């Protein structure tokens, strides 16, 4: 920069525009807007593509490259089985949403106070209870209903013929049920390990570190701590086998004359307690120790199955799990209430800690405002596990004409469907309350157009799009109100009988019993269709970004692969030239995670975001990992020094996911408050740029209808995007031809 300007000299070499797509797994061709592409780095699951040299690129002289990472969550057919892992995904996500004292811009590995260590332990115990709930439901269905009942007085349908070949009586039926129930838990654990980053040999040694609540996005350790999920996975699998073996042993004690079942049951109780302590204090747990627990649990589970299968018949009339069913639902209710107690505990401890330090202005507004929705997320995970387990229990009992304790299961059915109904009602209320621009206000945004009365429906449709987009800002209210209604309904309904619950029990039970059928059909659809996997993959794109530090059976974190790979590519490109990093939607989150730790040649990188949820969603619900301090730090660390723009963010009023990055609140600005286009400050290193949607009111052809709103998509095709590329390229010293 010998000329005294703030531009980088042309010796920086070739300019590359690197595009990163958002949720849904865009194809490389769709991402770059070209008919064909070539893989230049990475692989088909997460690779970097460029158009062939014979395809021209408009705009500044640059190489056009796209990072297509969606294959991590949607390409392989076995991803269809991730439907089974959805409850665990919510519980793991809740751990990352839970508040602690760290800040997003802190580069240190912080010391975790005792109350935060307690928080981490409570979250992981809650996650372990979720595993126990699933294992208990599997036990009831496979061991009690199929194993014990169908060895006696059930319908014995034709499809259970293979079962009857191996189980000729109640003892052998219980033993076979214990074996198959444990196999189901092992299958779930195996599915959760598919596509996980390969285990490093060092993880199997004496690694005892626990980085939870200690590091943020500025530390590379957040994407390089797979040993946490590895150790937790061993303990959860051991706990699940111990629950199944223990419940099976309890049932076999009354139904068989085996002398080995009771000692094995005591071993499994001890394993479950040790696993509980292990997940609560993971920092002292080595992989080898966790593997030992899994080995003991496996031997005890297999021994219980063999002992029951080979035992003689005693008095099966005394063998029952009905009492255990009540314990299960009581435990599930406590698990649903636990997040609320933990959240209140966390807020009180943080306020006491701030007061003890005499902080004059304790700023907990973001954490406290989002606390209810943070608490509701684990509720969703546990509720899904209970609802899905109850549905399987009800469906199997109906198919086999087996009687069971219908009261509790039917109330779960009513409450599960009641949550859905309550959420829909509140969502409709939020949509009605959401603000949108009036037709007259929309018309002022297009001063060059001449509108007539026939255009009013089009103007109203733009206002509706803005109103729908703002419903996202009421998501917390929707979830909180529905959750509170169901939690208190469950607590009261457990002890008091209401006529409307009894009246709704039968239709709700039938509806809930269809949940397993829907899940099987969904998995079949996902297995056979790439497009369906991409559509449903949006859920995984949002819920499985974070590593599995709280529940190891969540789908594997794609962030552990997508972020380091993007980081390495940015390092390579910035060594050879300069980069305009263009990130859409969730791609902006991946880009932020790649840029936060800093790169050697980060001054050669400028950033363009669009449809970006950095502030609207992530800074609101993950303020310990995304906040204004982190955004300021990144804006100062990238691009050439000076006051030229190095980070531009494009946003629309109709976008239901993205928004401003430096807004006064985490919500979209109210379009009805001021009809004039939002005034954006210029001349700083960061710029929020508002885009009208549609960009123009004029139809493409004379007889065509007026353009539709683009909402969260197609930023690449707008003139504002092309202008931003020109401006950022100029910042880097590259002139348009």
């Amino acid at each position: 920069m010998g000329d005294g300007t703030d531009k980088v000299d042309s010796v920086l070499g070739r300019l590359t525009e690197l595009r990163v797509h958002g949720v849904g797994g865009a194809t490389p061709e769709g991402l770059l807007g070209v008919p064909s592409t070539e893989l230049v780095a990475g692989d088909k699951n997460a690779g970097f593509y460029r158009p062939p040299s014979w395809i021209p690129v408009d705009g500044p002289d640059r190489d056009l490259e796209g990072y297509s990472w969606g294959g991590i969550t949607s390409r392989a057919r076995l991803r269809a089985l991730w439907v089974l892992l959805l409850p665990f995904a919510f519980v793991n996500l809740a751990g990352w949403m839970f508040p602690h004292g760290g800040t997003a811009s802190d580069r240190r590995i912080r010391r975790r106070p005792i109350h935060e260590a307690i928080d981490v332990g409570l979250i992981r115990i809650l996650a372990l209870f979720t595993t126990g709930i699933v294992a208990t439901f599997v036990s009831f269905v496979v061991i009690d209903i199929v194993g014990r009942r169908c060895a006696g007085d059930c319908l014995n349908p034709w499809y259970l013929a293979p079962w009857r070949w191996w189980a000729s009586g109640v003892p052998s039926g219980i033993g076979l049920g214990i074996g198959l129930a444990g196999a189901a838990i092992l299958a779930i654990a195996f599915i959760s390990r598919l596509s996980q980053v390969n285990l490093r040999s060092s993880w199997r040694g004496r690694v005892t570190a626990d980085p939870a609540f200690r590091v943020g996005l500025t530390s590379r350790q957040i994407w390089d701590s797979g040993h946490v999920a590895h150790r937790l996975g061993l303990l959860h699998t051991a706990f699940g086998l111990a629950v199944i073996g223990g419940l099976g042993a309890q049932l076999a004690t009354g139904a068989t004359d085996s002398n080995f079942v009771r000692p094995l049951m005591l071993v499994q109780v001890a394993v479950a307690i040790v696993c509980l302590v292990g997940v609560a204090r993971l920092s002292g747990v080595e992989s080898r120790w966790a593997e030992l627990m899994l080995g003991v649990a496996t031997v005890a589970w297999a021994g219980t199955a063999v002992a029951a299968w080979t035992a003689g018949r005693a008095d099966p009339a005394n063998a029952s799990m009905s009492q255990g069913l009540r314990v299960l639902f009581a435990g599930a209710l406590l698990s649903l209430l636990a997040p609320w107690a933990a959240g209140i505990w966390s807020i009180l401890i943080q306020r006491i800690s701030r007061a003890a330090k005499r902080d004059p202005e304790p700023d907990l507004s973001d954490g406290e405002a989002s606390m209810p929705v943070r608490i509701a997320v684990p509720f969703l995970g546990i509720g899904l596990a209970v609802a899905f387990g109850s549905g399987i229990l009800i469906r199997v009992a109906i198919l086999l004409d087996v009687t069971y304790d219908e009261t509790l299961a039917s109330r779960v059915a009513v409450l599960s469907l009641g949550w859905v109904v309550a959420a829909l009602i509140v969502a409709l209320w939020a949509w009605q309350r959401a603000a949108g621009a009036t037709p007259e206000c929309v018309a002022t945004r297009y001063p060059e157009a001449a509108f007539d009365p026939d255009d009013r429906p089009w103007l109203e449709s733009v206002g509706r799009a803005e109103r729908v987009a703002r419903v996202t800002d009421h998501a917390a209210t929707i979830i909180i109100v529905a959750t509170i209604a169901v939690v208190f309904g469950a607590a009261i309904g457990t002890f008091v009988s209401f006529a409307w619950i009894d009246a709704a029990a039968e239709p709700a039970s039938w509806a809930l019993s269809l949940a397993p059928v829907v899940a099987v059909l969904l998995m079949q659809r996902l297995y056979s269709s790439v497009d369906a996997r991409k559509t449903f993959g949006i859920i995984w794109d949002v819920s499985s970004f974070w590593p599995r530090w709280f529940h190891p059976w969540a789908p594997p974190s794609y962030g552990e692969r997508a972020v380091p790979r993007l980081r390495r590519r940015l390092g390579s490109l910035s060594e050879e030239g300069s980069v305009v990093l263009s990130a859409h939607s969730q791609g902006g989150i991946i880009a932020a995670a790649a840029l936060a730790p800093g790169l050697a040649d980060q001054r050669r990188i400028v950033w363009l975001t669009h449809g970006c949820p950095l502030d609207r969603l992530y800074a609101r619900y993950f303020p310990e990992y995304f906040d204004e301090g982190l955004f300021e730090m990144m804006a100062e660390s990238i691009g050439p020094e000076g006051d030229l723009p190095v980070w531009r963010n494009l946003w629309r009023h109709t976008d239901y996911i993205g928004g401003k990055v430096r807004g006064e609140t985490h919500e979209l600005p109210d379009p009805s408050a001021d009809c004039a286009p939002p005034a954006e400050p210029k001349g700083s290193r960061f710029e929020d740029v508002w885009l009208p949607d549609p960009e123009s009111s004029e139809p493409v052809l004379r007889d065509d209808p007026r353009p539709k709103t683009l909402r969260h998509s197609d930023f690449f095709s707008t003139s504002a995007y092309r202008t931003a590329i020109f401006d950022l390229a100029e910042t880097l010293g590259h002139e348009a031809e």
Side-chain angles (χ1 to χ4, degrees), residues 259-573:
N259 296 322
F260 299 101
V261 172
R262 191 176 294 275
L264 289 171
M265 181 173 64
L266 296 177
V267 171
Q268 287 161 132
V269 170
V271 169
I273 294 174
V274 172
C275 290
L276 189 69
V277 175
V279 299
R281 200 185 188 288
L282 191 67
S283 58
V285 178
E286 297 180 9
S287 296
R288 292 177 294 185
W289 185 85
E291 290 168 355
L292 175 62
M293 286 298 99
L294 178 58
V296 173
T298 302
V299 171
W301 155 68
T304 303
V306 172
W309 191 52
T310 58
R313 183 164 180 161
D315 185 7
N318 294 328
S320 174
M321 281 190 176
S322 59
Q323 187 63 32
L325 186 63
R326 292 185 174 274
V327 173
L328 166 65
F329 283 104
L333 178 60
L334 290 175
S335 298
L336 293 175
L337 295 174
W340 297 88
I344 295 172
W345 151 269
S346 177
I347 290 177
L348 290 177
I349 289 297
Q350 287 194 53
R351 284 199 170 274
I352 292 173
S353 176
R354 298 270 182 144
K357 296 177 181 178
R358 299 189 177 183
D359 189 339
E361 294 182 3
D363 183 13
L364 299 178
S365 56
D366 281 350
E368 292 186 5
S370 61
M371 177 59 73
V373 75
R374 298 189 196 191
I375 294 172
V377 169
F379 173 89
L380 289 176
I382 298 168
L384 276 175
V386 173
F388 193 76
S390 299
I392 294 177
L393 178 65
I394 294 170
R395 173 52 52 184
V396 171
I398 290 173
L399 289 175
L400 301 180
D401 195 23
V402 171
T403 58
Y404 65 101
D405 191 341
E406 299 183 8
T407 304
L408 290 173
S410 61
R411 289 188 179 185
V412 168
V414 173
L415 293 171
S416 300
L417 295 182
W419 189 94
V420 176
V421 173
L424 290 176
I425 292 174
V426 181
L428 289 174
W429 170 84
W431 180 76
Q432 291 293 331
R433 291 289 303 273
T438 62
E440 293 74 18
C441 188
V442 173
T444 61
R445 299 174 188 166
Y446 306 97
E448 75 285 353
F451 295 104
D452 55 46
D454 293 337
D455 292 318
R456 188 172 183 83
W458 179 82
L459 297 171
E460 291 175 345
S461 70
V462 175
R464 281 195 302 271
E466 295 178 354
R467 193 160 58 247
V468 170
R470 287 176 59 82
V471 172
T472 303
D473 298 324
H474 297 282
T477 304
I478 296 170
I479 295 175
I480 292 165
V481 173
T483 302
I484 291 175
V486 172
V487 167
F488 283 95
I492 297 173
T494 301
F495 305 103
V496 181
S497 178
F498 292 100
W500 67 268
I501 293 182
D502 297 333
E506 184 173 354
S509 298
W510 270 97
L512 190 62
S513 70
L514 295 177
V517 179
V518 173
V520 171
L521 294 176
L522 179 60
M523 285 189 288
Q524 187 276 331
R525 174 63 176 165
L526 295 175
Y527 182 83
S528 60
S529 171
V530 175
D531 292 336
R533 288 198 298 276
K534 287 182 178 180
T535 301
F536 201 78
I538 293 174
I539 296 177
W540 311 131
D541 292 346
V542 174
S543 64
S544 60
F545 170 72
W546 300 101
R548 299 180 294 181
W549 287 1
F550 300 96
H551 202 303
W553 288 0
S557 165
Y558 67 87
E560 291 178 336
R561 295 181 61 185
V563 173
R565 186 163 292 186
L566 176 59
R567 180 178 172 78
R568 289 193 297 268
R569 186 60 178 170
L570 285 171
S572 175
L573 292 173

Side-chain angles (χ1 to χ4, degrees), residues 635-703:
E636 291 298 326
S637 64
I638 63 174
E641 297 179 358
D643 292 331
L644 291 178
V646 296
W647 178 7
R648 182 170 294 182
N649 177 64
L650 310 179
W651 67 279
R652 298 171 175 144
H653 273 127
T654 56
D655 193 337
Y656 45 84
I657 292 179
K660 299 181 72 171
V661 173
R662 300 290 293 275
E664 296 180 359
T665 68
H666 297 305
E667 299 182 359
L668 276 180
D670 185 353
S672 63
D674 186 359
C675 292
E680 309 290 359
K682 300 291 184 181
S684 63
R685 294 178 63 82
F686 172 84
E687 295 178 352
D688 268 317
V689 176
W690 172 77
L691 273 63
D693 188 26
E695 192 172 25
S696 171
S697 63
E698 298 302 317
V700 177
L701 298 176
R702 177 176 298 178
D703 295 330

Side-chain angles (χ1 to χ4, degrees), residues 92 96 112 120 124 193 196 199-200 202-204 207-215 221-236 278-279 281-283 285-287 290 547-553 560:
N92 184 68
W96 289 96
R112 189 169 62 194
V120 172
R124 287 178 173 158
R193 296 297 292 268
Q196 183 179 359
L199 289 178
R200 296 186 177 184
S202 61
W203 293 0
R204 297 183 175 275
V207 179
T208 60
D210 181 12
F213 288 12
R214 296 177 186 266
V215 299
Q221 187 177 352
I222 196 172
W223 309 114
D224 192 26
S225 298
H227 56 84
V228 177
H230 176 58
R231 289 178 288 155
L232 284 175
L234 295 172
L235 294 174
H236 274 250
V279 299
R281 200 185 188 288
L282 191 67
S283 58
V285 178
E286 297 180 9
S287 296
R548 299 180 294 181
W549 287 1
F550 300 96
H551 202 303
W553 288 0
E560 291 178 336

Side-chain angles (χ1 to χ4, degrees), residues 132-200:
I133 289 171
V134 172
T136 304
F137 270 116
V138 171
S139 299
F140 276 112
V141 173
V142 180
I143 302 176
D144 189 33
I145 293 182
V146 179
R148 181 177 71 89
R149 306 285 185 90
C150 283
D153 57 357
C154 81
L155 291 178
N156 287 322
W158 62 269
Y159 45 80
L160 287 181
W163 184 283
R164 293 193 295 272
W165 296 340
W166 292 91
S168 57
V170 172
S172 57
I174 293 175
L176 184 59
I178 294 172
L180 293 180
I185 291 297
L186 291 175
I188 295 175
F190 174 74
I191 292 170
S192 70
R193 296 297 292 268
L194 293 177
S195 301
Q196 183 179 359
V197 177
N198 291 332
L199 289 178
R200 296 186 177 184

